[in-house]
């Protein structure tokens, strides 16, 4: 099957400052890709372009027509902050896109999937940071997307919660056959989750290197193979002056 999402020769500038220069990528069905690079290199900007939230760019964004079928747009997005509606319950937040017509059974299933079955009637202020991000993931999955776009969604939680959320995303992506495009500056996260890691760097940012991760899930975070790949990425980041 052809790519679900493709970015072709993306150029982006803010005022007179060029941020992205000739960046291209293809996301295949069921694939997990990480965009890796330092803060300010344009990773989140590229994700916003992929999500259709930023249309002021040169180049092409192509979405597979199959993404338009189903109850949603085919794309789900999770940001750095949960962005839950504080006056709605957790269940209402998950089904927010459908409002009063939300499928209560599907909402309940998603809450069970992310470990929040007991929090359906809670308000966001009653949740921990990790629980709030789990609710945001469930909300992004409500429309049954084929592509999930993640913008550093685990950066605001502690290390152990981050690992649990990473494992949750891997599990749900495979259970529901979802392709994932992840923005991160965390080497461990990039190689633990992804099938391919794309390294952004330079001024303006370009794709410096692509590293395949040919390891089955579940992965051992302490494995020599992952350590070697992280080392390759770190070397590339230094050589390209990206860090």
């Amino acid at each position: 099957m052809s790519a679900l999402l493709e970015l072709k020769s993306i150029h982006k500038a803010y005022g007179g400052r060029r941020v992205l220069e000739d960046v291209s990528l293809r996301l295949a069905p069921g694939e997990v890709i990480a965009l890796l690079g330092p803060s300010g290199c344009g990773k989140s900007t590229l994700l916003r372009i992929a999500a259709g939230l930023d249309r002021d760019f040169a180049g092409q964004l192509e979405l597979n027509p199959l993404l338009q079928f189903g109850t949603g747009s085919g794309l789900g997005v999770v940001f750095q902050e949960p962005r839950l509606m504080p006056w709605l319950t957790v269940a209402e937040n998950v089904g927010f896109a459908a409002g009063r017509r939300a499928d209560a059974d599907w909402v309940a299933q998603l809450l069970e999937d992310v470990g929040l079955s007991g929090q359906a009637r809670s308000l966001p202020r009653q949740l921990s940071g990790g629980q709030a991000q789990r609710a945001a993931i469930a909300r992004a999955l409500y429309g049954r997307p084929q592509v999930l776009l993640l913008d550093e969604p685990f950066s605001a939680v502690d290390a152990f919660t981050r690992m649990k959320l990473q494992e949750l995303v891997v599990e749900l992506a495979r259970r529901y056959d979802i392709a994932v495009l992840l923005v991160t500056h965390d080497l461990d996260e990039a190689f633990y989750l992804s099938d391919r890691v794309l390294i952004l760097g330079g001024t303006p940012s370009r794709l410096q290197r692509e590293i395949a991760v040919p390891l089955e899930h579940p992965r051992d975070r302490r494995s020599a193979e992952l350590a070697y790949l992280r080392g390759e990425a770190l070397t590339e980041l230094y050589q390209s002056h990206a860090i």
Side-chain angles (χ1 to χ4, degrees):
M1 184 183 293
S2 60
L4 290 175
L5 179 153
E6 187 168 4
L7 296 167
K8 294 182 176 180
S9 192
I10 300 298
H11 296 255
K12 172 69 179 180
Y14 290 108
R17 183 173 69 91
R18 292 184 299 158
V19 178
L20 296 169
E21 179 91 356
D22 196 25
V23 178
S24 299
L25 66 85
R26 290 168 52 90
L27 182 67
E31 186 178 29
V32 180
I33 294 178
L35 290 172
L36 179 65
S39 296
C41 74
K43 304 184 300 298
S44 293
T45 297
L46 194 62
L47 196 83
R48 287 179 59 82
I49 290 172
L53 299 175
D54 185 341
R55 301 183 184 277
D56 183 20
F57 64 92
Q60 290 180 284
L61 165 63
E62 294 186 0
L63 299 178
N64 192 307
L66 291 175
L67 292 178
Q68 306 305 317
F69 295 121
T71 58
S73 68
L75 297 174
V77 185
V78 181
F79 298 98
Q80 294 180 34
E81 308 83 20
R83 301 188 182 184
L84 302 177
M85 306 296 178
W87 59 88
L88 299 179
T89 66
V90 171
E92 289 168 341
N93 268 284
V94 171
F96 176 76
R100 294 182 178 179
R101 296 174 297 172
D103 183 335
D105 290 339
W106 180 229
V107 169
Q109 179 62 57
L110 289 171
L111 289 175
E112 181 179 343
D113 289 342
V114 300
L116 291 179
S117 292
Q119 301 289 348
R121 297 184 179 181
S122 298
L123 292 172
R125 67 172 182 271
Q126 298 172 290
L127 304 180
S128 68
Q131 288 174 325
Q133 203 63 324
R134 286 172 182 266
I137 292 169
R139 180 181 58 191
L141 296 178
Y142 179 81
R144 294 179 171 84
Q146 291 178 267
V147 173
L148 190 59
L149 305 175
L150 304 176
D151 186 5
E152 299 191 45
F154 318 127
S155 60
V157 298
D158 64 85
F160 292 108
T161 301
R162 184 181 306 128
M163 287 189 285
K164 291 293 185 183
L165 289 172
Q166 290 166 356
E167 291 162 5
L168 175 67
V169 166
V170 169
E171 177 188 348
L172 294 178
R174 277 154 179 75
R175 181 184 304 173
Y176 293 118
D177 193 25
I178 299 171
V180 177
L181 181 60
L182 165 73
V183 162
T184 183
H185 60 266
D186 186 317
L187 285 163
D188 292 339
E189 182 168 276
F191 285 97
Y192 180 73
L193 292 176
S194 305
D195 301 306
R196 289 190 290 142
V197 176
L198 307 182
I199 299 175
L200 279 172
T203 306
S205 287
R206 301 174 176 85
L207 285 179
Q208 303 292 335
R209 184 175 176 184
E210 175 182 315
I211 301 178
V213 189
L215 302 174
E216 296 294 328
H217 287 279
R219 293 174 179 169
D220 184 348
R221 297 175 187 272
R222 302 162 296 179
S223 73
E225 294 92 340
L226 283 181
Y228 173 80
L229 293 172
R230 289 194 298 267
E232 287 286 296
L234 188 59
T235 298
E236 179 64 39
L237 289 165
Y238 271 115
Q239 289 178 345
S240 66
H241 306 288
I243 59 176

